[in-house]
Amino acid sequence: MTKTKRVRKAVFPVAGLGTRFLPATKAVPKEMLTVVDRPVIQHVVNEAQAAGVEHFVFVTGRGKAVIEDHFDHQFELEATLSSKKKTRELEELLAELPEAGRTSFTRQQAPRGLGHAVWCARDVIGDEPFALLLPDMLHHGSTPCLAEMIEAYGQTGGGNLVAVSPVPEDQTHQYGIVGVEDAKAKVSRITSMVEKPPKGTAPSNLHITGRYVLEPDIFPLLAKQEAGAGGEIQLTDAMITLSRDEAHPFYAVRFDGTIYDCGSKIGFLTANVAYGLERADLAPQLRAALKDLL
């Protein structure tokens, strides 16, 4: 029996323009907007680190160089913190920094959709299974979402995994939805996938939440995938094609935590409040401030 390869690498598609946050994102990438005191992308990378990911692959575009700088040493800052004996701040800064040689940056030179962004990472990923994390979606739970998925990957013996979470039935037409063998199970075989099904036609109320573990077999399909909705290369279309081959099963991993869509203003604001309320150094003052506002 062939041994299942470990999930060592993760892809982060960060080339989007962030038009919903203009003018803030005119000069600052949307992934660098902060939830409390960390950029959104740092929270997502931390999730991958907690799951044991060793190599972080960022698919970037023009104007995103600051993301690369963020995941590098800033010697002047580190020297200043050291000279001022701000040991805690320096240790915290260094603890979240990937080791040398553990990050890769590749360009998506045109806005052609998520599927195209994933395809741009093909040479860095090579012939390995990989995680894909959408940086807009913060998954917040007692156990990191990707850690649960990689554990499930070991249980299923490989295949492709998609994180899912329930939404109200009247909202299923807004999401990518999966049908599963057992909608109540933590891990269940996927029987169907559909992107934004018309109202009343969804196979379940489980929506795709922006976390994936995928086999490298997706890359040849993305290479020849025709443009779908919005004139873009849709990842879901390639996953549907791959799922038709019994040799490449898909599984849903149910995430029972809270998901904050930081690509929307309300989701971003809510995430800041929720994460702030979990901080012992901020929660009392934040609660008082919110009480005064409301």
Side-chain angles (χ1 to χ4, degrees), residues 55-75:
H55 196 113
F56 309 87
V57 184
F58 299 87
V59 182
T60 70
R62 284 180 58 83
K64 301 282 186 167
V66 67
I67 297 176
E68 188 168 352
D69 290 340
H70 178 74
F71 291 102
D72 197 358
H73 285 281
Q74 190 176 25
F75 294 104

Side-chain angles (χ1 to χ4, degrees), residues 248-266:
H248 302 287
F250 276 74
Y251 300 91
V253 181
R254 187 178 177 121
F255 179 66
D256 295 315
T258 305
I259 300 170
Y260 301 102
D261 180 3
C262 290
S264 73
K265 294 183 178 72
I266 293 299

Side-chain angles (χ1 to χ4, degrees), residues 10 12 45 48-49 53-58 98 102-105:
F12 305 86
V45 168
Q49 287 176 316
V53 168
E54 299 172 357
H55 196 113
F56 309 87
V57 184
F58 299 87
R102 297 293 192 183
T103 56
S104 296
F105 296 83

Side-chain angles (χ1 to χ4, degrees), residues 29-243:
K30 64 175 182 175
E31 298 83 9
M32 292 300 294
L33 298 178
T34 57
V35 171
V36 187
D37 54 6
R38 285 167 174 77
V40 172
I41 186 62
Q42 182 70 66
H43 287 285
V44 180
V45 168
N46 288 352
E47 178 188 335
Q49 287 176 316
V53 168
E54 299 172 357
H55 196 113
F56 309 87
V57 184
F58 299 87
V59 182
T60 70
R62 284 180 58 83
K64 301 282 186 167
V66 67
I67 297 176
E68 188 168 352
D69 290 340
H70 178 74
F71 291 102
D72 197 358
H73 285 281
Q74 190 176 25
F75 294 104
E76 297 87 349
L77 174 60
E78 293 169 13
T80 299
L81 292 175
S82 179
S83 67
K84 293 187 176 182
K85 309 299 182 185
K86 294 191 174 183
T87 306
R88 181 182 60 82
E89 291 85 350
L90 179 58
E91 289 177 349
E92 190 174 80
L93 199 66
L94 297 177
E96 295 186 341
L97 197 64
E99 294 180 17
R102 297 293 192 183
T103 56
S104 296
F105 296 83
T106 186
R107 285 283 186 109
Q108 183 185 19
Q109 295 169 325
R112 298 185 60 197
L114 176 59
H116 182 258
V118 173
W119 179 76
C120 288
R122 65 199 183 281
D123 286 344
V124 184
I125 297 300
D127 189 26
E128 296 185 43
F130 64 98
L132 169 65
L133 299 91
L134 304 193
D136 284 350
M137 310 301 290
L138 287 186
H139 289 58
H140 194 51
S142 56
T143 303
C145 179
L146 188 62
E148 291 185 333
M149 296 184 73
I150 290 179
E151 181 181 354
Y153 180 80
Q155 294 170 356
T156 60
N160 301 271
L161 282 72
V162 180
V164 300
S165 183
V167 294
E169 297 284 354
D170 61 356
Q171 295 179 21
T172 54
H173 64 286
Q174 302 174 21
Y175 301 94
I177 301 291
V178 301
V180 294
E181 292 179 348
D182 183 354
K184 295 182 179 180
K186 183 68 176 179
V187 181
S188 182
R189 183 80 176 255
I190 291 176
T191 57
S192 62
M193 282 182 280
V194 58
E195 185 68 30
K196 296 182 179 179
K199 287 185 178 181
T201 67
S204 78
N205 71 332
L206 297 175
H207 84 291
I208 299 172
T209 70
R211 298 290 184 270
Y212 311 79
V213 173
L214 298 171
E215 298 171 302
D217 305 82
I218 197 77
F219 291 124
L221 298 177
L222 290 170
K224 59 185 180 182
Q225 182 68 52
E226 295 182 0
E232 298 181 339
I233 305 299
Q234 299 293 334
L235 177 65
T236 303
D237 291 341
M239 291 196 303
I240 290 171
T241 301
L242 186 60
S243 69

